[in-house]
Amino acid sequence: MSTQSAVHANVPEGGSYPRKRIIDHNDAYLYALRVAYLAYLLQPRAKRTQYVPAPQAPLQRSSTSINDLVKDFTLMRDSKSTRFPHSFMAELERRLTGVLMGKEKRPEYNDAAVKRSFAAFLNAFSEPSFKKRMEKDRRVEDLVLIFFSNATKELQKGKAPGDDAWKLLVDRHLALFVRLVSLVLKDRDWARDRPELSTRLTTLENKLLSNDQDLSSRNASGGGTTIEVVTPLSYDVKDMPLVQVVGRIFGLRNGVMQTDIDKHREVWTEKAALQDLKTYQAHLNLVSNRTLQSDDFDLDEAYDQWKKEEVHDISQMMLAIMQANPELAKSTTNHLPQFNTQMSNSRNSEPSQRGSLQRTDSNQASYAVAQPVDTTAYHSDRPASEPDNDDVFMFMPSDPRGFYRFILVQALTKDMHDQRMLPSEPANDTPAVDLFTKQSLELLNEICLRWRIPHASRTVIFLDVISEKFVDQEISLDTLDATFTFIKEPLPEKSKGSALVTCTLQHYEKWPLADTALYKRILATLHMALLRELFETLQHCYEPKPPSVGPHMYVLENHIYKDTRFSESSGKLDEYRNQLNEGLRSKAYDTYREFLMKEVPNDQHAWEFIHVINLGQAVLSLVQRTQKRYRKSPEIIGVNPLTALVETILPLYAQDAQGIIERVLILSKEKNEELPVEDGFILYGELVEIRRIYSELLPNEPFAFHIEDLLAHFVWRWIRTTEESITGWVDQAIKQDTFSVRSEKGQIPTEDQRHSVSVIDLFSSFNQTIDRIVQLNWDDDLQYAKFVTALAKVVGQGVSRYCEVVEQRFAKEMDRLSPEQEAAKNKSTQEKWISMAKDAWSSKEKVEPFQFYPESFVKLNNIDFATNQLDKLEHEVNVDACAAVIQRNAPPVTQRQRKVTNYVFTIKIVEGEDLKACDVGGYSDPYVVLGDEYQKRLAKTRIVYRNLNPRWDETVDITTQGPLNIIATVWDWDPVGDHDCVGRASLKLDPSHFGDFLPREYWLDLDTQGRILLRVSMEGERDDIQFYFGKAFRTLKRTERDMTRKITDKLSAYIDHCLSRRTLRSLLSKGMNLANISNNLSSVSSYFNRIKPSQTIQQPPSEAEIANALKPLFAYFDDNFAIMNQTLTNSSMIMVMTRLWKEVLSTIESLLVPPLSDKPSQQRQLSQQEMDIVFKWLQYLFDFFHAVDEETGEPNGVPLDVLRSPKYFDLTSLNFFYFDSTESLIRTSERMASATAARQQTQRNRLSAPSSFSSPALGGAGGIIGLPAATRRSKSIMLSRNLGTMKKVKEEKWKEAQAEPNDDMILRILRMRPEAERYLKDRSRQKERLAAAAAAEMIVRQSLLAGGGRMAGSLPRR
């Protein structure tokens, strides 16, 4: 055979292996063929059962010929019942094919000779002409004759002329064919319609089987015996599986291999194989270079173990040859090993010990030997010497490793390209190797066994071939991984002797040195190849669907780096990392340039924010995709693809984004066009997200520009737009509101349904406005605090507008005329005067209940709801934190420019005293109007009916930029005609006089008679979030108080009517005259009574009479409360009741004492009985307003802490002083005044500014200089910035009132004592002097403050 190619077997240096040898293709083929042929010779001989019949007379046929046998068919009538059906031919062909393929279940059809006869008939049956004729005639005898003819021809092939035994087989096979025809008819249920045909077929089958021993008479007594005989070898390549594998690997046909086998048949014998083993054994004993030596191992123990196993395996192989050919044992020695017949005959036998060999094919074991066996007698008797030529062995080449590697490459190449062959399957516990077919593995295992290839060499050579294929890209990475896994997995003990690769990696110290060196070189080669592939793979890591690096890293980490025999210099690996990092950065730059070209136009005039956004989204998507992809394994060979990406493209994007944005803004300014605010917000969101990722991934590298500074003007534009629209929002919300509860008609509204939609819409707008800024997640705290501060100002403007409009509508509803007033309005002037005269003459004081509108109560509910919502908003915005941020970033106090352009004056119109009477009854109905010097109305109080000493307690804010003159005009309300002027007074509001920002009180003398008390304070209107929220809160609370007062004013007239001195006189006038009771006494007694002066003893009213006096008031309250309760919320209801309770306390106070003043009063002091009645009334009213449930004991009215107000305690303590003498009262007043002065001096020494002074000024000079108020200001804007601060201030005020008692009540009692007039004037002058001294001291202290100004030092902050 000619040699077409040759390859170099790569063998490591060292050891006894040749370094390089050219392997001839033909030599490799011939040695492989020898091994395959030897396997055929040594395979277990198949045995078959042979029947030996008893001697009998010559066989005689029942019919002389086949024509006689089918004669019965020809005599049948030509009818339907004698012909087979039309579909019979197809069914018969299917059954015949099943016989040939072994699918027929009946055992008689599985004989090879039967299949040959049936195959010969099927060839004739398949001819189209025959089929056509049979479809036409459909006669059974035609089929029988054709089968007989073809079976006769097939069975007489190769028989001697005198041998007639085959003729019986013809009858047997024909009978089986007739039986198959009958089975077809029965299985398809055709026999039922053709009984005559079935009967004739059965008769013919019986005739044919009359002389058949196997089918008819095998079980008959005396019929012969059966024996087992060995099937002789055919020496046909078709019967040699491994030889056919060699032909497939080397691309040769069976004929060529048959020629080579026939040519060398005489020398390729079992005897030659046995002689090879003896020769190898001799070289092994002599430590020849034909085998491995101790120098080929690192350890002597490894060599000894290898040699021991080799001696054992050679002995077993020699014994196996002699088992296959026992004649060799006879010619060698008489000391034969004991054969294990059971093992030799068993197809699935297993060795009992580890050292036994078992060569397996697809079906059965080829040889097996029982242990232990003595094989020392089969060693060569003659001394072995070193051969002079290479042809020492018949079956083993001179370079087994080189030839084995050559054949391995050939087999692997052929199997990888042969798609028709099935992949190998796992046999028992042996894992499958998909690179080779099962047949190739059997050949390779046989070669390793015959050529004594060590297990380590098998592994290393196999891995070397795989490495070469991988480097040449002929196999995939998965195949390489599977190869490493395969060679690492341990095999069962029974498979180790013949496996192509066994798990020897764990014991590499026992390897030959040449295998160890080759294995290291293989690892190094694979390492470089894997790194190259990894580099190429990572060049695609930024693509949308990049290839995975997981398989490469898995192989590197699990099969290369974990192997202790692998070593790589750190310098080379560092160089690779640098190259990989540079490659990734270059790829990232190219990817970013592609994004830039795709998303951003070349023309700068076409640039828009959307281009920056799209570019950022592309960059962000790439970063997030890369981050997610490498989340579990961020570093690959010490290189982080994400880091390389972000360090490259994020700085590039930041620079380009800044340039594009700035250019867009410049172009917009040049075109005088405003960019949409929403575009700026969307751009900011995208940039912030990119900056967040930038900061996370590049913490030490700052972002290219400050996004907030570049885009802050979009937020300010949005805030200005909101400020311009807020008034329209409020007006539109109010316009669309009907101010009705939001419950279904006929249903009682819940607490959440008692306010209308306008306030909901208003705060929904506020929340959306603030949420829009919050959702931006603005990353500059100072700018964010300024944004929220500006929005707080907008919210305050909206709240102020809402309160203004709602209060105007509320006042209009509350100030409407009653039906009687409407009727009186239509009367003439003369009729009005006559009616008033009649009322005055008859002292008519009829009080009609006021009919409240539900809409009015809903408005009050809205204000209460707005207060709570504003408080919630204040907490959500975190006002204090925003103020702290601004304060922290403000310049030092000494560098601030204290420039306040607006000033807020808070003016409280407290009370009036000794006003002029303008009505016929000697009273007035006064109210105050504040106006400026240009006659512009600034504020108007409510009307206090029938009172010359009214108390309004109403507050108004006036904003000014400089000094302002205000004029206070007191008017008398008159239902008939014009209102009368009671008097006027003026006051100049100069900010320079209020630099200390403390409240002051002014008694302003009217130009006619009497005076009024104003309490004035000032605050600088600042750009401060706490200020804006405080101003909004104070606006809401004032609106709430004013609306509540308007409600209670409608009830106060009846309160005054029921709790009056007239009611007291009425109760006391019901006493009985005791003289009228003695009319029935004796005349003597009557006489003496007549001559005595008449005495009238006043009996005090009973508890029931005192309580009954309040029943009309309680009924009046209940009726009004029932109306209110239908609409007002619980909190609003408590607020109204609380205000009414204050009205009650003020009315009772006016019964007991006159107002505070330095002038004597004309009011008469009550008697003890009157005093007792008043205090019982107070207790009844206290219980009524507390409203304790009789069943549960739970209070439903005003809480106790509200009922027990400072004024309530002042009234209850009045009993201790009310009836004391004037001298005692004066001494007590002087003692209290001294204690108060000492306490104030202590506070002035401790504080930088006084927090409280004495009681309110009693007039005189105080009205000229404007004395500071006695207490510190508790209702400033900064102390009203939320509900918590207001509640805290109120609690402190009550504690202060209880902890620091004053002598105000004593001074009011002394006003009813004419003898105390001088003391009152002296006490007034003393207070004025103390107040003036405190004010002067305060001014001195304020002037000592350095730079920061009084405002910064005096305004409290949280």
Side-chain angles (χ1 to χ4, degrees), residues 627-639:
Q627 187 177 27
K628 181 179 180 181
R629 183 176 298 132
Y630 300 103
R631 181 175 61 252
K632 295 182 179 179
S633 301
E635 287 193 356
I636 301 172
I637 314 294
V639 178

Side-chain angles (χ1 to χ4, degrees), residues 1153-1170:
V1153 292
L1156 187 63
S1157 178
D1158 59 345
K1159 298 179 181 179
S1161 174
Q1162 300 299 321
Q1163 182 173 335
R1164 179 184 61 84
Q1165 188 170 345
L1166 298 181
S1167 63
Q1168 185 63 54
Q1169 287 185 347
E1170 292 173 334

Side-chain angles (χ1 to χ4, degrees), residues 38-58:
L38 180 61
Y40 171 72
L41 295 178
L42 299 179
Q43 69 179 358
R45 299 293 188 269
K47 294 182 179 182
R48 61 183 178 88
T49 303
Q50 182 174 342
Y51 177 74
V52 180
Q56 55 184 343

Side-chain angles (χ1 to χ4, degrees), residues 51-56 213 217-225:
Y51 177 74
V52 180
Q56 55 184 343
Q213 294 83 1
S217 59
R218 176 176 297 183
N219 296 327
S221 58
T225 60

Side-chain angles (χ1 to χ4, degrees), residues 737-904:
D737 193 4
T738 59
F739 292 97
S740 58
V741 294
R742 293 174 292 108
S743 62
E744 297 293 335
K745 188 175 182 180
Q747 294 183 355
I748 299 176
T750 62
E751 285 289 311
D752 294 335
Q753 296 175 338
R754 293 177 182 255
H755 49 268
S756 62
V757 296
S758 61
V759 69
I760 298 177
D761 295 342
L762 179 64
F763 275 89
S764 177
S765 301
F766 291 162
N767 288 319
Q768 291 175 5
T769 301
I770 295 178
D771 287 344
R772 191 67 187 91
I773 299 298
V774 173
Q775 290 170 1
L776 289 176
N777 294 320
W778 203 260
D779 203 20
D780 188 303
D781 291 342
L782 179 59
Q783 290 184 0
Y784 175 78
K786 291 181 178 180
F787 294 156
V788 178
T789 300
L791 287 178
K793 181 179 180 181
V794 175
V795 170
Q797 293 174 355
V799 168
S800 177
R801 177 62 180 174
Y802 186 80
C803 291
E804 178 185 358
V805 177
V806 170
E807 187 176 11
Q808 289 176 357
R809 293 193 175 193
F810 181 84
K812 186 176 181 180
E813 294 167 357
M814 300 300 294
D815 293 342
R816 71 184 188 277
L817 298 177
S818 63
E820 292 80 1
Q821 292 173 340
E822 288 287 348
K825 184 178 179 181
N826 296 327
K827 294 180 181 179
S828 61
T829 304
Q830 184 178 0
E831 290 174 341
K832 292 178 182 178
W833 283 107
I834 294 174
S835 176
M836 292 178 60
K838 290 181 178 180
D839 292 340
W841 179 261
S842 61
S843 298
K844 179 181 179 181
E845 295 182 0
K846 182 179 180 181
V847 179
E848 297 291 340
F850 187 80
Q851 298 298 322
F852 295 100
Y853 287 161
E855 294 83 354
S856 303
F857 293 148
V858 171
K859 292 180 177 67
L860 181 59
N861 292 339
N862 286 358
I863 299 300
D864 180 60
F865 178 80
T867 303
N868 292 311
Q869 290 298 309
L870 186 64
D871 184 69
K872 181 180 178 181
L873 185 63
E874 191 264 352
H875 284 85
E876 291 177 351
V877 170
N878 201 351
V879 169
D880 294 340
C882 293
V885 169
I886 296 177
Q887 181 68 23
R888 187 168 55 250
N889 291 275
V893 176
T894 55
Q895 299 178 8
R896 296 179 192 173
Q897 295 181 358
R898 191 166 170 267
K899 181 180 179 181
V900 181
T901 57
N902 292 333
Y903 302 91
V904 179

Side-chain angles (χ1 to χ4, degrees), residues 832-985:
K832 292 178 182 178
W833 283 107
I834 294 174
S835 176
M836 292 178 60
K838 290 181 178 180
D839 292 340
W841 179 261
S842 61
S843 298
K844 179 181 179 181
E845 295 182 0
K846 182 179 180 181
V847 179
E848 297 291 340
F850 187 80
Q851 298 298 322
F852 295 100
Y853 287 161
E855 294 83 354
S856 303
F857 293 148
V858 171
K859 292 180 177 67
L860 181 59
N861 292 339
N862 286 358
I863 299 300
D864 180 60
F865 178 80
T867 303
N868 292 311
Q869 290 298 309
L870 186 64
D871 184 69
K872 181 180 178 181
L873 185 63
E874 191 264 352
H875 284 85
E876 291 177 351
V877 170
N878 201 351
V879 169
D880 294 340
C882 293
V885 169
I886 296 177
Q887 181 68 23
R888 187 168 55 250
N889 291 275
V893 176
T894 55
Q895 299 178 8
R896 296 179 192 173
Q897 295 181 358
R898 191 166 170 267
K899 181 180 179 181
V900 181
T901 57
N902 292 333
Y903 302 91
V904 179
F905 283 94
T906 301
I907 302 175
K908 183 174 184 179
I909 306 172
V910 183
E911 60 181 337
E913 183 179 289
D914 293 335
L915 300 182
K916 182 179 68 173
C918 297
D919 295 339
V920 177
Y923 293 97
S924 291
D925 302 321
Y927 65 91
V928 179
V929 175
L930 291 182
D932 59 10
E933 52 191 324
Y934 303 104
Q935 298 183 355
K936 178 183 177 182
R937 176 182 288 192
L938 302 176
K940 174 179 174 294
T941 67
R942 75 185 193 282
I943 303 170
V944 179
Y945 297 96
R946 296 174 56 79
N947 202 322
L948 299 180
N949 298 293
R951 190 173 186 88
W952 294 283
D953 285 329
E954 294 192 19
T955 307
V956 62
D957 286 340
I958 299 176
T959 302
T960 179
Q961 295 182 350
L964 177 67
N965 291 319
I966 62 169
I967 299 174
T969 305
V970 182
W971 295 90
D972 171 51
W973 179 83
D974 197 341
V976 180
D978 297 331
H979 299 181
D980 299 327
C981 180
V982 178
R984 287 184 178 87

